[in-house]
Amino acid sequence: MEAEKKPPAVSDVGAWAMNVVSSVGIIMANKQLMSSSGYAFAFATTLTGFHFTVTALVGWISNATGYSVSKPVPLWELVWFSLVANTSITGMNLSLMLNSVGFYQISKLSMIPVVCLMEWVLNSKLYTTKVISAVVVVAAGVGICTVTDVEVNAKGFLCACVAVFCTSLQQITIGSFQKKYNIGSFELLSKTAPIQAISLIILGPFVDYYLNGRSLLNYNFSGGATFFILLSCSLAVFCNMSQYLCIGRFSATSFQVLGHMKTVCVLILGWILFDSALTVKNILGMLLAVMGMVVYSWAMESEKKAATPIPRNKSDMLDGEDVPLKARVSGLPPVDLEEGEMKS
């Protein structure tokens, strides 16, 4: 008798909730940590290195205690993936520095069609009209509520293109690796996090110095700043874990589309906690984006139901006759259990 399939430790809704809550939480914590009115910790790349260091530590403890099992993945693939992921992080930071906030938001929105295109090219994935329409609605809604001034230059445009390409490729690769090596989301994260941590801790301070002209060695690590750094790192563990989990269970496209719920939450919390402006345009854009997410979820669920094979009825399975399996295999006529005789 086959063993029953072990249910996942985190449900689909739980995975999305973990990602939204941890992502919004880390944005709020980083805003307090990095803003000039907060602790002015202007070292975003180095902070990401801290995030992956803590994530790698959690992964090591999990493997050491036997909670998770390490599966072999070629080192060169892990290094290649980490290089793409770190280029994505650096490119995003450079894009934000060189371009206006409006163009930076547009570049983030462009990841949705880029991911769709790359999944079509790399994985031969096709999309229905319903899904494409929902994606357009989400992108339009988020664009209305986030994009304001748009200024771009040649260097900034190049950095944005590199960042969008590498981020899209990274997210598609997360799902591909999990299927290719039959490895869980957390196990894969435990393997990639140490490589990203080491490289970002070494290169991060130099990248940040180029971005803002400030040295990490001259920063005053006060008690409040240290607390928010630790809080940011703790939330990053759940954020990274849920990202790998969601992409592994669904797809990079779904992660991009439904992930914009975080943008809506950030705008609302910014208005509540930091007195950020919330105009009618923002509200209409958020409503349009949420509507697009609902339609996208419905379209994807419809696709799943359409792809699920309908089980054949009993008469089809037995070719119109209720014949025991052993009798069919042996080729003998069935036994009448009540009379104990062979039917002629």
Side-chain angles (χ1 to χ4, degrees), residues 109-130:
L109 285 173
S110 68
M111 288 181 198
I112 299 178
V114 171
V115 167
C116 292
L117 179 62
M118 291 180 71
E119 284 201 315
W120 174 65
V121 172
L122 299 176
N123 301 327
S124 301
K125 186 171 183 178
L126 301 177
Y127 298 92
T128 64
T129 305
K130 295 176 185 177

Side-chain angles (χ1 to χ4, degrees), residues 32 36 79 155 184 203 243 256 260 272 280 286-287 323:
Q32 179 64 26
S36 56
V79 172
K155 288 184 180 179
L203 299 176
Q243 179 188 12
Q256 279 292 328
H260 278 294
I272 295 172
V280 174
M286 287 188 287
L287 291 175
V323 181

